[in-house]
Amino acid sequence: GKQWYQRRVRGLFKANFDDTVHSHKSPGVEISEHIYNLKEGNVKLRLAIVDSVGYGDQINKENSFKPLVDYIDEQFENYLQEELKIKRDLVTFHDSRIHVCLYY
């Protein structure tokens, strides 16, 4: 699960990641973002790991995807608004769009 990607990235960047254990008794889905600024040699990476605590833990899973979709849409909208500005600064703007989703 979570340890898989931690081992892979740790092997590349020798980084330690938050191993917080979350309760599976949450009444809903909570989104938490962890930012890591990694560097190895000349390679720099700003890695954001977004955890969806409680996803799939409810008996009625009908709307458990909604907080995730809302979060992804919000990140895309933030980027789009910066890109649409007449005087945009995409060099220093933090691109918080989701690029990969892992479900396990």
Side-chain angles (χ1 to χ4, degrees), residues 10-67:
R10 186 178 296 133
L12 292 172
F13 292 93
K14 298 178 181 84
N16 292 315
F17 296 93
D18 178 25
D19 287 341
T20 304
V21 177
H22 299 284
S23 168
H24 291 278
K25 297 180 189 214
S26 175
V29 178
E30 177 186 324
I31 305 294
S32 64
E33 181 178 25
H34 308 278
I35 304 289
Y36 302 95
N37 292 304
L38 308 173
K39 181 178 180 187
E40 181 157 332
N42 293 329
V43 178
K44 293 181 181 180
L45 174 68
R46 181 181 171 113
L47 177 67
I49 297 177
V50 179
D51 200 0
S52 54
V53 178
Y55 180 77
D57 289 346
Q58 299 77 30
I59 292 173
N60 181 357
K61 296 173 181 50
E62 187 173 315
N63 292 317
S64 63
F65 69 93
K66 185 146 179 38

Side-chain angles (χ1 to χ4, degrees), residues 8 20 36 70 77:
R8 296 297 176 246
T20 304
Y36 302 95
D70 290 346
E77 185 63 31

